[in-house]
Amino acid sequence: LELAARLGARAVLFASSSEVWGAGVDRGLLALPTPEDAPVVLDRLELPRRAYAAAKVAGEAALLAGAREHGYR
């Protein structure tokens, strides 16, 4: 993010994962593979389903904090 800001980037894209927001899969609310138009289901982000989900949640939190720090929306 620091380099992007120094280079004048106006936006940064971070890809999320159904591991973060796909709690509906565990409850049988969403099919696998998850369709692109499936509703987002946030569920207890502090209790991720797997280590990969924990890493994705941490990455998203770090990116959000850095984006705010550098003035991205």
Side-chain angles (χ1 to χ4, degrees):
L1 287 174
E2 291 176 14
L3 179 60
R6 272 193 307 232
L7 294 176
R10 296 184 319 187
V12 175
L13 176 69
F14 183 83
S16 188
S17 169
S18 63
E19 280 297 321
V20 172
W21 52 261
V25 172
D26 285 347
R27 289 195 225 130
L29 302 174
L30 297 174
L32 286 176
T34 306
E36 291 295 320
D37 60 350
V40 173
V41 180
L42 294 175
D43 185 42
R44 308 285 317 256
L45 293 179
E46 75 278 9
L47 297 172
R49 301 181 307 158
R50 296 176 181 80
Y52 176 71
K56 292 297 285 188
V57 169
E60 290 183 21
L63 181 73
L64 180 58
R68 288 180 181 151
E69 192 176 308
H70 293 288
Y72 292 108
R73 298 184 277 131

